[in-house]
Every structure is written in C-alpha cells, then in structure tokens.
C-alpha cells in the first residue's frame, strides 16, 4: 500500500527536470524574443531612416544646385540693371538714329559676352551639353536705342522692342509692379526648345523711368544634369512653377499641368513631408519652395522605406529560432546534469533495501559539489538515523527488562504482608518487642519498595522506604549512625522509586566491610536550579570518584544484554547500575548518578529533574 501511494504521488507531481526546464526555457525564449524583436525594430528603424535621409539629401542636393543656377540668372540680370556703362548706353540721347549704332553694337556685345557664361559649368553630367544664357533686352520708347531695336521679339540674345510682349501674362504681371522678378517656362523657336526665363524691369537710375525689361533664359537641359547627379533608386523629382506646371520631371512632360493631382493639392506651407496615394500607391511626398515661388518635390514610394522590413524581420526570426534551439539544447544539458543525480538520489532513497537499512545509500560522483555534498550528507544522515533507531530500540528493550525484573519482585505481595503480620503478632504475644520492631520495618521496606508497580513516587515515600531499611541495619549494627536531612518543601517532589536503598545498601556492604565501629550514613536533599539533587554519603573506605564516573559512562555505551558487572572499591554492583540506568531511561542522559570527590568515605549524588506531584496523583 505504501509503495502504491508513493508511485501515485510521483505520477501526480512533475519531475524536477520538468519543473526546472519549462520555466527556465520559457524565460530564455521570452528574453530571446524580446531581444530579437528589439534588435529587428532598431535595424528596421535605422534602415528606413537611412532610406528617408538619402531621399531628403537627394532633394536638398537638387534644391541647392537648381537654386544656385537660378541665382546665377538673377546675378546676370542684376549686372545689367546696375552696370553704369550699360546704363549710359541705354540712356544716351541721339539726334539721328545712325548716331546710336555704336552704342547699340556695344550693348549687343555686352549681352553676347554675358550669354557666353556657362550655366552648368562642370557640375552637370557628362551627357549634359554646355549651355549658355539667352540674355535679351526688350526696350521701351524711353531708351535712346529703342529706334534700332528689332521690332519683333525672338528668344535669342539680342535687343528688341517690347511691343510684342505686352500681351504676355508674365509681362503684365511685371508691369503691375507687384513683383520685381518674374519666372516662367516656355517652349520657344521652331524646334520647341524647352526654356526657363526670368524677367526684371530696367528703370533709369537718374529719373526712375522704365527703359526696358531684362530677360534671361536658359535651356531646360541646363538643370537636367543636376537631377541626373541626384538619382533616386525609386521615385522621382518634380519641379513646378507657381501655376503647378511641370518645369522638369523624370515622369511628366514639360509644362504639364499638375494642379488637378491630389498630392499636389495636398501641399500646404513652404516645406514639409506627407504620405499620400500617387497613381494608386502610397508614396512619401517631400517638398520645399524655392525663393522664386517654384516648388521642388521628391516623391518616393513608402514601400521603398520599408523594403528591408521583411528581410530584417525574417533574419531576426531565423536568428531567434536558432538561438532558442541552441539555448534549449544547452539548457537541457545543464539541467540534466544537475537534476539527474538528484533524481538518482531520490530513487535510491526510495528503494526498500535502503529504507529498511539493508543496504547503504549508493555513492554518486556527479562532479557538482552541492549535489555530491547532498548525497554524502544524506548517506551520513541515514547511518545516524539507523543508529538512533537501534539505540532507541535497545533502550526500550532494556526498560521492559527492568520492568519485568521489578514485576518478579512483586509476586504475591499480599502473602508476604500477611506472613509478616503473623510474625509480628506472635512476637508481640511472646513479649519480644524488638523482634516486632524488626518485622514492622521489614514490612515497610517491602511495602514502599514494591509500590504497587509505580515508577514515580514522592520523595517522602522514598525516604520512608530507606528509613525502614536503615532501621533494620541499625538493629544489626549497633555502631551504625544514620542522618537524614530533607527540607519539608521537597517531600512532595517526585523521584524514581527504589533509588536510595541500593545506595545505602552499597555503603553498608562495601564501605563498612572492614570498619567495625563509628559507621555513619548521611542522606540529604537540595535543589540545583531546575534539578533535585539527593546525596548519600558515608565515612567508609571510600573510592576513586573520577574512575567511578568513567565506569558509569562506559556502562551507558554498552550494548543491550551486556552484564552490569561490578565496580571495584566502594563502587556499585548491579543494583547501583540499575538505579543509574533507570534514571537515564526515564529522564535522559543528563541525569543519573555522579560520584563526588571527598576526603573521607564515598559521596554519590542522585540527580533528577525537579518535579512535584499534583494533588491527588
């Protein structure tokens, strides 16, 4: 039944290997998952941020270089507007038209020289042709060179009359005085060349009257190299004028109107970034407004920023799975190395042969100090427990043996009492009072000695028993003197019965064996903190107290059934050993007999725990 219950208990409870492996493995998996997720998130964020920054840097590069070229066009116009020699050529008055020919050609030469400045210089791509400006002057009648100017405007470097331009929207906008510089794009010439223009009014430095309009133009190919030097892996750039018409784009045509596109309509402010759908796909639109009011847009698909998300997530997942597998293998090896010796120890403990002390606990060497130490200490504990069980069993057997001997001494006490009473009556009838006193004392010795089989009696009853015994001895030994000093308050304390008479008898038989006269026995009682100490002292031949105590201690260690033996000198025979062993069996090893060193005779103390009998007990 015990084995069945133990097996059922083992089935109901998880093994040590399972209890350790599952929580630790779950903790490791959680840690790896968190670490892998965090690492993947950081890598994805860094990679996406890098792609976004690359797109932003591409747009900034285009912005800086496009505006640098637009600013160069502004500088050309500013040179014409502020140059004093050109101012003089334009304002000189001439009586005859032919007198202005030299000034006209001088101005034409200046314009030609300015138009020869390269717009892109060396910053363009190798495929971009070296372009020049178209620098033109559309003169008003207030200029002295107006009569010589070409009647109809043509988009080349030269000097023209402004009448052909008055219907142009940009010219009207410039004439209204709202803006100093007007920018626009247009196709010109028979070939339909795509051009970028800027125009500014030329006023007299002297009196502020309108002299004409400075027009600076550049082929669209001049900024194409800028865009080619800042390519996008995915997406496109878009340069729009103030009317949302395309100036340049890799995707849309020149001057294509973009105002009806939702992502163009969604632009607010001068600079920013937002996500919106472009041609049905979610794109990131980054924009910035140039100083001339045109807008530069960079449109990149949102998927481009997230293109490495799946790859990084997959790599993170595979790495985490591999880490979990490796950690699981190593965890199992470590846990197995720790738990298997413990499990073997548990199995060995549960073996019936070990439990019943038929076999010692097997020795194991696991290589782990704590486990080996546990095995070693448990084996030692089993040996100790076995010894304690055997010792307890031996004490119990000896206690029963002593009780059996005591019962043998109590056979038919009534018959003994009746016989003694009969002798006492015959002695009184015969007038022999001394014999009567001897018989009464002997009856008291037996009555208190047998004690109805009780182990514990009061100290008062024990003293009555030993007094009766000593009275008989005094009748036999005229020279024997007995002194008994027991405090009244200690008479109710309890002792093991028949503990003093064997000691008194030992003094008479051994102590006074060679002493014919002046024999004295003293019995006293006192308390020593929590102990009751009885002392039996005589003036006999004495003994070696140290040797006697050692003999008592050796007798304690003897196995069950070992004979009590005799102690030499005024020592103790079987009766004395019986007293000492009975006290220790009932009270413990701290109590019993102890011999005290004296100058004359022998002194032996009987030590009990201080206890008092309850009323009626």
């Amino acid at each position: 039944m015990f084995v069945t219950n133990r097996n059922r208990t083992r089935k109901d409870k998880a093994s040590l290997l399972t209890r350790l492996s599952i929580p630790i493995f779950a903790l490791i998996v959680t840690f790896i998952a968190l670490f892998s997720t965090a690492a993947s998130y950081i890598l994805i964020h860094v990679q996406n941020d890098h792609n976004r920054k690359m797109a932003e840097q591409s747009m900034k590069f285009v912005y800086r270089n496009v505006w640098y070229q637009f600013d160069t066009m502004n500088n050309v116009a500013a040179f014409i507007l502020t140059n004093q020699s050109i101012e003089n050529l334009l304002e000189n008055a001439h009586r005859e038209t032919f007198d202005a020919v030299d000034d006209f050609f001088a101005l034409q030469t200046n314009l030609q020289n300015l138009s020869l400045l390269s717009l892109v210089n060396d910053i363009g791509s190798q495929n971009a042709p070296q372009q020049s400006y178209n620098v033109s002057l559309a003169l008003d009648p207030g200029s002295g060179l107006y009569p010589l100017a070409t009647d109809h405007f043509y988009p080349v470097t030269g000097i023209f009359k402004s009448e052909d331009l008055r219907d142009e929207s940009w010219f009207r906008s410039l004439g209204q005085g709202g803006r100093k510089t007007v920018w626009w794009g247009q196709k010109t010439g028979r070939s339909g060349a795509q051009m970028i223009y800027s125009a500014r009014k030329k006023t007299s430095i002297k009196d502020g009257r309108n002299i004409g309009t400075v027009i600076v133009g550049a082929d669209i190919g001049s900024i194409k190299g800028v865009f080619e030097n800042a390519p996008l892996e995915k997406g496109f750039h878009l340069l729009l004028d103030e009317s949302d018409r395309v100036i340049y784009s890799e995707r849309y045509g020149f001057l294509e109107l973009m105002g009806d596109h939702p992502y163009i309509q969604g632009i607010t402010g001068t600079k920013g970034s937002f996500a919106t759908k472009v041609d049905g796909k979610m794109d990131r639109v980054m924009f910035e407004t140039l100083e001339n009011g045109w807008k530069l847009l960079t449109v990149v698909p949102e998927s481009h920023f997230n293109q490495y998300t799946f790859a990084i997530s997959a790599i993170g997942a595979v790495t985490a799975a591999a880490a979990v597998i490796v950690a699981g293998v190593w965890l199992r090896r470590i846990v197995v190395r720790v738990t298997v010796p413990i499990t073997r120890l548990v199995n060995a403990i549960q073996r019936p042969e070990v439990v019943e002390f038929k076999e010692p606990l097997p020795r194991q060497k696991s290589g782990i100090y704590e486990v080996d130490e546990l095995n070693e200490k448990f084996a030692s504990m089993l040996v100790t427990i076995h010894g304690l069980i055997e010792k307890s069993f031996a004490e119990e057997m000896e206690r029963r043996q002593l009780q059996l001997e005591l019962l043998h001494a109590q056979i038919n006490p009534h018959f003994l009492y009746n016989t003694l009473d009969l002798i006492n009556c015959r002695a009184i009838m015969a007038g022999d009072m001394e014999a009567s006193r001897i018989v009464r004392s002997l009856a008291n010795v037996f009555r208190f000695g047998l004690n109805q089989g009780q182990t514990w009696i009061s100290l008062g009853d024990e003293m009555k028993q030993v007094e009766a015994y000593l009275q008989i001895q005094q009748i036999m030994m005229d020279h024997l003197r007995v002194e008994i000093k027991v405090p009244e308050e200690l008479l109710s304390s309890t002792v093991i019965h028949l503990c003093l008479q064997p000691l008194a008898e030992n003094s008479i038989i051994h102590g006074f064996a060679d002493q014919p006269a002046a024999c004295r026995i003293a019995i006293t009682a006192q308390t020593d903190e929590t102990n009751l100490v009885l002392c039996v002292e005589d003036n006999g031949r004495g003994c070696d107290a140290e040797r006697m105590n050692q003999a008592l201690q050796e007798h304690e260690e003897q196995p069950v059934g070992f004979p009590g033996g005799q102690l030499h000198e005024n020592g103790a025979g079987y009766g004395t050993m019986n007293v000492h062993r009975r006290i220790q069996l009932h009270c413990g090893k701290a109590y019993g007999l102890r011999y005290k060193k004296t100058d004359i005779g022998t002194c032996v103390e009987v030590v009990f725990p201080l206890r008092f009998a309850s009323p009626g007990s």
Side-chain angles (χ1 to χ4, degrees):
M1 183 65 179
F2 173 75
V3 176
T4 304
N5 292 336
R6 186 176 62 192
N7 292 337
R8 185 182 299 114
T9 302
R10 292 187 60 184
K11 292 179 180 178
D12 294 340
K13 296 183 180 179
S15 65
L16 180 62
L17 177 61
T18 304
R19 296 291 293 272
L20 286 178
S21 299
I22 294 178
I24 297 177
F25 185 72
L27 181 63
I28 291 176
V29 170
T30 302
F31 174 78
I32 292 176
L34 291 176
F35 179 80
S36 177
T37 302
S40 299
Y41 173 79
I42 293 172
L43 289 175
I44 291 171
H45 181 75
V46 170
Q47 184 62 42
N48 293 347
D49 189 59
H50 172 73
N51 292 339
R52 185 175 290 106
K53 285 183 178 180
M54 291 297 294
E56 291 174 354
Q57 289 176 1
S58 177
M59 188 182 77
K60 289 179 180 179
F61 176 83
V62 172
Y63 179 92
R64 286 195 301 266
N65 287 278
V66 167
W67 181 245
Y68 170 78
Q69 297 186 37
F70 288 177
D71 192 51
T72 303
M73 295 172 66
N74 280 333
N75 291 337
V76 170
F79 178 81
I80 296 174
L81 296 176
T82 58
N83 186 269
Q84 188 61 49
S85 61
I86 294 178
E87 176 79 13
N88 293 335
L89 293 175
L90 292 173
E91 291 196 5
N92 286 336
H94 303 281
R95 293 181 179 179
E96 298 294 338
T97 302
F98 62 84
D99 291 335
V101 172
D102 291 338
D103 291 345
F104 181 85
F105 282 106
L107 179 59
Q108 182 76 15
T109 300
N110 285 330
L111 296 180
Q112 291 288 347
N113 291 335
L114 288 173
S115 68
L116 293 177
L117 292 174
S118 174
L119 179 64
V120 293
N121 201 8
D122 292 331
I123 66 171
S125 66
Q126 296 179 355
N127 296 328
Q130 299 295 311
Q131 301 290 332
S132 298
Y133 300 127
N134 289 334
V135 183
S136 306
L137 273 173
L139 300 179
D140 290 337
S143 173
L145 299 179
Y146 181 79
L148 296 177
T150 304
D151 292 336
H152 299 289
F153 180 80
Y154 192 78
V156 293
T157 298
I159 303 171
F160 308 92
K161 292 179 180 180
S162 61
E163 279 73 8
D164 285 354
L165 303 176
R166 296 186 184 279
D167 294 332
E168 298 289 340
S169 59
W170 63 265
F171 190 86
R172 291 195 303 269
S173 175
L174 191 62
Q176 293 172 359
R179 299 177 62 180
K180 294 182 179 180
T181 305
V182 177
W183 294 81
W184 73 97
Q186 106 180 34
K187 293 182 179 180
T188 59
R190 296 178 180 177
S191 61
Q194 300 173 1
M195 299 292 292
I196 301 172
Y197 289 101
S198 69
R200 296 180 65 178
K201 280 291 185 179
K202 169 60 180 168
T203 58
S204 174
I205 298 176
K206 295 179 180 180
D207 51 21
R209 71 182 187 280
N210 289 331
I211 299 176
T213 303
V214 179
I215 303 170
V216 180
D219 189 276
I220 200 69
S222 60
I223 63 173
K224 182 179 179 181
V226 175
F227 287 91
E228 290 179 350
N229 282 342
L232 293 172
E233 184 177 348
K234 290 184 179 180
F236 59 93
H237 294 293
L238 180 61
L239 181 62
L240 301 177
D241 64 10
E242 293 178 289
S243 301
D244 294 331
R245 292 181 301 179
V246 177
I247 299 301
Y248 181 83
S249 176
E250 300 96 329
R251 175 175 291 192
Y252 301 105
F254 183 67
L255 297 181
E256 183 177 345
L257 187 61
M258 301 295 294
D260 57 345
H261 287 70
Y263 72 95
I264 301 298
Q265 296 174 355
I267 295 175
T268 57
T270 59
K271 183 179 180 180
S273 173
F274 61 93
T276 185
K277 284 189 176 182
V278 178
D279 298 335
K281 295 186 295 184
M282 187 62 68
D283 288 357
R284 170 67 54 177
V285 178
M286 296 172 285
F287 66 92
E288 187 168 358
T289 304
L290 282 72
E291 294 182 17
N292 63 353
W294 291 7
K295 291 184 286 290
L296 175 63
L297 284 75
T298 299
V299 182
V300 180
E302 281 288 322
S303 60
H304 175 67
F305 299 130
N306 303 325
Q307 62 179 332
Y308 297 106
T309 300
F310 177 77
I312 295 175
S313 300
I315 293 174
V318 172
T319 303
V324 168
I325 294 174
V326 173
V329 172
W330 278 102
L331 172 64
R332 180 169 180 81
R333 292 186 62 183
I334 294 173
V335 173
V336 165
R337 186 177 180 186
V338 174
T339 58
V340 166
I342 298 178
T343 303
R344 290 175 179 171
L345 176 61
V346 172
N347 293 334
I349 293 171
Q350 293 177 343
R351 289 178 57 193
E353 295 83 0
V354 175
V355 174
E356 296 173 4
F357 304 106
K358 294 180 180 179
E359 293 182 3
L361 186 68
R363 303 288 181 175
Q364 300 185 56
K365 293 296 181 181
S366 64
I368 301 175
Y369 171 78
E370 290 79 3
V371 177
D372 292 343
E373 190 71 10
L374 178 63
N375 188 36
E376 192 76 22
K377 296 300 181 182
F378 201 88
S380 176
M381 183 184 69
L382 287 179
V383 173
T384 303
I385 292 175
H386 189 199
L388 291 175
I389 292 175
E390 289 185 344
K391 186 175 182 180
S392 177
F393 178 76
E395 291 177 350
E396 182 63 24
M397 293 299 296
E398 185 172 357
R399 185 184 316 211
R400 293 185 180 183
Q401 181 66 26
L402 293 175
Q403 291 176 348
L404 182 61
E405 293 175 0
L406 188 61
L407 287 175
H408 288 167
Q410 296 175 351
I411 296 176
N412 202 2
H414 295 289
F415 173 77
L416 182 62
Y417 295 154
N418 293 334
T419 302
L420 292 175
D421 286 340
L422 178 62
I423 297 174
N424 183 35
C425 290
R426 292 293 180 92
I428 293 174
M429 292 174 64
D432 192 351
M433 300 308 296
E434 183 176 0
S436 175
R437 185 162 59 90
I438 294 173
V439 171
R440 288 198 305 271
S441 297
L442 180 60
N444 289 333
V445 169
F446 285 122
R447 181 177 295 108
F448 291 111
L450 296 177
N451 193 35
Q452 297 179 354
Q454 296 181 4
T455 302
W456 291 86
I457 63 174
S458 66
L459 178 59
D461 290 342
E462 179 68 15
M463 296 305 301
K464 291 177 182 180
Q465 194 271 343
V466 73
E467 285 180 10
Y469 171 76
L470 290 175
Q471 287 174 1
I472 297 174
Q473 293 294 339
Q474 284 180 317
I475 295 173
M476 298 172 62
M477 301 171 62
D478 294 335
H479 56 276
L480 176 63
R481 184 162 54 92
V482 177
E483 297 178 2
I484 298 177
K485 296 181 180 179
V486 178
E488 185 72 22
E489 62 272 12
L490 296 180
L491 291 177
S492 60
S493 60
T494 58
V495 296
I496 293 178
H497 83 288
L498 207 63
C499 63
L500 294 178
Q501 186 268 334
L503 300 180
E505 181 182 0
N506 199 65
S507 295
I508 293 173
I509 295 175
H510 297 284
F512 302 144
D514 301 327
Q515 188 171 335
C519 297
R520 182 181 65 87
I521 295 177
I523 301 176
T524 60
Q526 61 182 359
T527 58
D528 178 12
E529 295 181 355
T530 59
N531 298 329
L532 173 65
V533 181
L534 308 178
C535 180
V536 178
E537 185 177 1
D538 64 55
N539 61 346
R541 64 181 183 180
C543 67
D544 188 346
E546 183 177 353
R547 182 177 178 183
M548 299 303 295
N549 288 327
Q550 183 178 359
L552 289 174
Q553 184 176 1
E554 291 176 353
H555 181 76
E556 295 173 10
E557 300 174 354
Q558 291 174 357
V560 180
F562 191 83
Q566 298 287 333
L567 296 181
H568 302 289
E569 305 178 17
N570 187 16
Y574 181 77
T576 304
M577 284 297 179
N578 189 311
V579 172
H580 179 67
R581 196 57 179 268
R582 282 193 300 123
I583 294 175
Q584 289 195 335
L585 285 175
H586 289 282
C587 303
K589 295 295 183 181
Y591 303 95
L593 304 183
R594 60 188 182 192
Y595 284 83
K596 305 290 289 186
K597 185 176 182 180
T598 59
D599 294 333
I600 299 174
T602 301
C603 177
V604 58
E605 292 182 344
V606 186
V607 183
F608 290 99
L610 183 59
R611 302 171 183 169
F612 291 91
S614 58
S617 62

